[in-house]
């Protein structure tokens, strides 16, 4: 088994090598597809580069593994539970559309036009985010538009390492502005109970029901915490099964891909501020435990706010950043007509992150 | 389960290289014959008064000479030599011997020896790179802050290599001939990791001759690949300051599916990835042993504001190279830091 795998690998490697020499020896082919080949090759094989400056050994962790970790966490965090709750036919076409439009159309065109050396793996992460924070019954073309906008925005800014705000959230913001009714309707009731083949394929009949936060705004009724935790309540496709999101999020923190300070400070500050408002202003406010377990908060805290590039670099800044996120989330949920505020909170704090970083540096290294 | 426990502390404020890259040396010591001209041992005795002598018996790099090769299970014997050197040349000084806290038998033996002597104190240390660099070892043991690159003799502190102590004892006190040095060779470019007995003055080529794997490209480093120097010219002769030789395989070709066989690819000169922009992952300031934020220097450098890097406590950097080692974007942080310093 191992031997056959090794043989296949050698043949594969040789054929890739010959394609590479072919492309490099034909300037016209190289002009059109050289960058594309380099990009695809970069996803399959390691680089040739060796260390030229000391230190001469390097850790095996690179950005590819870093992003791969996030992809794995997202897959088990929301894709697998979503297939159980809403059915294969609801989740997978959305993923396919998101990836085809985001990576294979916009990103590939960008690689050819802008002659970038590589397709950044960050794009996969962004495309995996897009369906997760849209309602289950959202039309497929909307997901395509969202993925296209996000990846285009990301590439215009310059890709991994240049992002000012989280590109996936920016795409979602654009969708909220352009198609305001579509992104806040179509919350499908999830399937619960022992799965059958039919339910795994198609989910239950498309009965829609308002999300717990909207229900609270309208009637003041609090959904049971257990159903919120295990995902038996309505919500966006990827944010309902909070228990799996928490487990994968903790795994990400253990792998040091996500910084543990951000979810801890974000969730903690949401709880504290919510409790504060609840104690002072009484029943009209959203109760603290309900705040923690509803909406996209868990998803946002573990996966969106921890996007390292859009937060501050300094560790102290990360605390301030996430406490700010928590405060804005609670304020929007409590005092504005909009039921959910995680997206606005993270986007706003992404922008505030830049001045936070420079102020922290000035304070820390004051002479 | 044990594996997981290991990884926990490996990357916190310094790198526990001994756990990350364990290297086993063969037991026997091989003598390398060389008939050409050799350097004789000499020790530049400091003209200032020495108050503290620090002897490091806790190598933090896996490719460094293991202590058992020097002590040969005769710790009191070695400490007697130290005492002889001290009484002869540095009579008013206090000796600090640093040992690995995991080697309990060595610690016990040294403690037993110490109970009769008041000029000696034993310190235990975790074998975490780069805790044995002058700046950190002086800070941990004496509580003194010294700048990187400062000569410790000015403060009356003498850092001695165990082999040098044996050398001073044999050559200056016993008046014996002393012209060999133990040099460990290791790395993926070799057939076997060995400890060699070498006469300083022997060319590197001659030392590695029979040990290098056939048919591969390799690069040779003196004093370890992390903060050592590369040997460009293999006819270069080694001198008394060389501590070890590491030969790494040069992996300058592409390998498919690198993420599936991470362990195999380790310990080569490969960058293990491609150069990217900084992703603010905080790996570098987690691993930095002196609590700096190396990515800030890179941000200054790419903006073309080298002078601004000095604002962020650049002078504290001890150039251990761990930030470059860990960086997932493969930034040349050590190179940038040196550029900013100059």
């Amino acid at each position: 088994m191992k031997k056959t795998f090794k043989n296949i690998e050698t043949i594969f490697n040789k054929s890739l090598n010959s394609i590479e020499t072919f492309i490099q020896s034909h300037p016209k082919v190289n002009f059109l597809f050289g960058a594309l080949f380099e990009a695809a090759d970069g996803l399959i094989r390691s680089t040739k580069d060796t260390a030229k400056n000391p230190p001469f050994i390097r850790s095996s962790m690179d950005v590819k593994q870093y992003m791969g970790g996030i992809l794995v966490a997202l897959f088990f965090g929301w894709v697998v539970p979503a297939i159980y709750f809403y059915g294969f036919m609801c989740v997978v076409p959305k993923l396919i559309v998101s990836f085809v439009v985001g990576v294979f159309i916009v990103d590939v065109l960008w690689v050819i036009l802008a002659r970038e050396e590589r397709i950044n793996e960050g794009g996969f992460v962004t495309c995996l985010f897009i369906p997760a924070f849209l309602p289950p019954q959202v039309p497929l073309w909307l997901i395509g538009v969202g993925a296209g906008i996000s990846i285009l925005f990301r590439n215009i800014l310059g890709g991994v390492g240049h992002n000012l705000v989280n590109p996936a959230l920016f795409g979602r913001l654009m969708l909220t502005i352009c198609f305001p009714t579509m992104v806040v309707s179509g919350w499908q009731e999830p399937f619960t109970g022992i799965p059958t083949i039919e339910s795994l394929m198609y989910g239950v009949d498309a009965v829609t029901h308002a999300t717990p936060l909207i229900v609270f705004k309208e009637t003041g009724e609090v959904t049971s915490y257990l159903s919120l935790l295990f995902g038996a309540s309505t919500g966006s496709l990827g944010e309902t099964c909070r228990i799996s999101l928490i487990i994968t999020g903790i795994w990400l923190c253990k792998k040091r891909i996500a910084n543990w300070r951000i979810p801890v400070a974000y969730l903690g500050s949401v709880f504290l501020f919510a409790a504060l408002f609840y104690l002072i202003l009484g029943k009209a406010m959203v109760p603290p435990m309900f705040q923690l377990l509803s909406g996209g908060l868990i998803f946002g805290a573990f996966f969106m706010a921890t996007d390292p590039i859009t937060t501050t670099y300094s560790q102290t800044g990360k605390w301030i950043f996430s406490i700010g996120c928590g405060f804005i989330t609670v304020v929007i949920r409590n005092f504005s007509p909009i039921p959910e505020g995680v997206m606005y909170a993270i986007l706003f704090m992404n922008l505030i992150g830049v001045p936070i970083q420079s102020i922290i540096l000035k304070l820390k290294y004051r002479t | 389960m044990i594996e997981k426990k290991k990884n926990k502390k490996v990357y916190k404020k310094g790198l526990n290289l001994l756990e990350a890259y364990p290297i086993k040396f063969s037991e026997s010591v091989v003598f390398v014959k060389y008939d050409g001209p050799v350097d004789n041992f000499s020790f530049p005795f400091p003209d200032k008064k020495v108050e503290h002598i620090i002897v490091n018996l806790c190598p933090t790099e896996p490719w460094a000479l293991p202590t058992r090769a020097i002590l040969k299970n005769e710790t009191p014997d070695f400490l007697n030599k130290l005492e002889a050197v001290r009484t002869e040349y540095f009579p008013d000084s206090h000796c600090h011997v640093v040992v690995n806290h995991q080697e309990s038998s060595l610690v016990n033996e040294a403690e037993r020896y110490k109970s009769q002597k008041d000029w000696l104190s034993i310190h235990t240390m975790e074998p975490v790179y780069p805790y044995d660099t002058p700046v950190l070892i002086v800070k941990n043991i004496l509580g003194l802050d010294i700048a990187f690159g400062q000569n410790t003799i000015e403060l009356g502190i003498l850092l001695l290599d165990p082999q040098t102590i044996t050398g001073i004892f044999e050559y200056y006190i016993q008046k014996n001939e002393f012209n060999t040095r133990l040099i460990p060779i290791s790395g993926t470019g070799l057939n076997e990791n060995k400890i060699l007995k070498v006469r300083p003055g022997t060319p590197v080529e001659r030392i590695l001759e029979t040990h290098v794997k056939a048919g591969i490209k390799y690069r040779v480093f003196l004093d370890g690949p992390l903060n050592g120097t590369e040997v460009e010219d293999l006819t270069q002769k080694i001198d008394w300051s060389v501590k070890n030789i590491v030969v790494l395989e040069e992996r300058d070709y592409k390998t498919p599916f690198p993420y599936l066989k991470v362990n195999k690819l380790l310990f080569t000169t490969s960058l293990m990835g491609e150069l990217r922009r900084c992703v603010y992952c905080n790996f570098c300031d987690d691993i930095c042993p002196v609590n700096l934020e190396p990515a800030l220097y890179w941000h200054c450098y790419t903006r073309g504001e080298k002078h601004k890097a000095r604002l962020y406590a650049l002078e504290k950097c001890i150039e251990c190279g761990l930030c470059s080692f860990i960086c997932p974007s493969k930034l040349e942080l050590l190179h940038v830091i040196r550029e900013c310093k100059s």
Side-chain angles (χ1 to χ4, degrees), chain A residues 71 74 78-79 89-108 119-135 138-152 154-155 167-169 171-172 175 237 299:
Chain A
L71 285 181
L74 279 175
W78 82 261
V79 177
M89 291 309 285
C90 174
V91 178
V92 175
K94 289 197 171 77
L95 284 180
I96 293 172
V97 168
S98 176
F99 272 88
V100 165
V101 175
V103 178
F104 295 106
I105 298 179
V106 179
D107 230 4
V108 166
I119 298 173
N120 275 328
E121 321 74 38
F124 291 94
V125 178
T126 308
C127 289
L128 203 48
F129 275 140
I130 301 286
F133 43 50
L134 289 172
V138 84
L140 287 179
W141 61 265
L142 197 69
I143 290 193
V145 171
I149 291 173
S150 300
I151 300 288
L152 194 64
R154 197 177 141 273
N155 283 345
L169 278 179
R172 162 80 206 235
L175 291 184
L237 195 56
F299 188 76

Side-chain angles (χ1 to χ4, degrees), chain B residues 111-331:
Chain B
E111 286 287 346
R112 220 177 298 134
Y113 184 86
K114 184 210 148 191
S115 57
Q116 311 137 23
K117 324 273 174 184
D118 56 347
W119 52 269
L120 179 73
S121 50
I122 309 287
H123 301 264
T124 54
M125 185 171 82
E126 260 184 276
V128 175
Y129 178 83
Y131 287 7
D132 62 346
T133 51
V135 175
L136 287 180
I137 209 166
V138 168
K139 192 172 182 197
N140 287 342
I141 287 169
L142 302 173
L144 291 172
D145 282 315
I146 59 169
F148 174 74
Q150 189 186 354
N151 195 352
T152 50
I153 297 294
E154 286 167 22
L155 293 164
I157 303 161
L158 184 63
L159 295 169
L160 278 182
D161 177 21
Q163 287 205 63
T164 317
I165 291 170
T166 327
I168 296 172
F169 179 77
E170 295 283 340
Y171 189 74
Y172 289 105
I173 296 174
Q174 299 276 322
K175 311 281 182 206
N176 288 340
E177 197 178 67
F178 186 77
N179 56 8
T180 58
R181 186 173 169 82
L182 293 176
I183 302 236
I185 58 167
S186 56
T188 40
L190 297 175
N191 293 320
E192 202 185 358
N193 302 321
K194 277 201 167 120
I195 299 173
L196 303 179
K197 207 172 209 177
V198 182
R199 285 189 170 151
T202 319
V204 175
E205 212 174 18
R206 176 89 183 79
I207 297 171
L208 297 177
E209 229 169 30
T210 51
H211 304 290
V212 176
K213 272 184 197 162
I216 61 159
K217 267 190 186 175
Y218 60 89
R219 281 159 88 183
V220 182
F221 306 97
L222 297 184
D223 298 346
L226 265 175
N227 60 358
T229 48
E230 184 172 1
V231 182
E232 306 278 348
D233 175 19
L234 284 181
T235 54
Q236 184 186 330
K237 291 175 178 174
I238 65 159
D239 54 23
W240 284 97
S241 66
V242 172
K243 295 190 187 79
N244 50 62
I245 299 176
V246 177
V247 184
L248 295 184
E249 188 185 344
E250 171 93 331
R251 209 174 267 263
D252 59 349
Y253 48 89
K254 292 184 175 178
T255 40
F257 310 115
Y259 22 83
L260 296 183
K261 38 187 178 183
V262 171
N263 296 327
K264 265 194 199 166
L265 278 161
L266 289 175
F267 222 50
T268 60
T269 56
S270 167
L271 269 189
M272 311 268 183
E274 47 199 31
L275 195 67
R276 292 286 170 88
R277 261 185 69 97
C278 173
V279 294
Y280 292 53
C281 59
N282 287 90
F283 281 18
C284 49
D285 66 285
D286 270 353
I287 204 170
C288 181
V290 286
N291 296 323
L292 297 176
E293 293 172 309
L296 293 179
Y297 310 132
W298 187 82
H299 292 302
C300 291
Y301 185 77
T302 44
R303 283 200 303 262
E305 296 169 331
K306 270 204 257 176
H307 56 285
K308 277 204 173 173
R310 285 173 196 280
L311 295 178
Y312 307 132
L314 180 65
E315 72 284 349
K316 272 195 198 163
C317 175
I318 55 168
E319 298 187 9
C320 62
L322 282 181
C323 42
S324 299
F325 168 81
I326 200 76
C327 184
S329 301
K330 311 296 164 194
L331 303 173

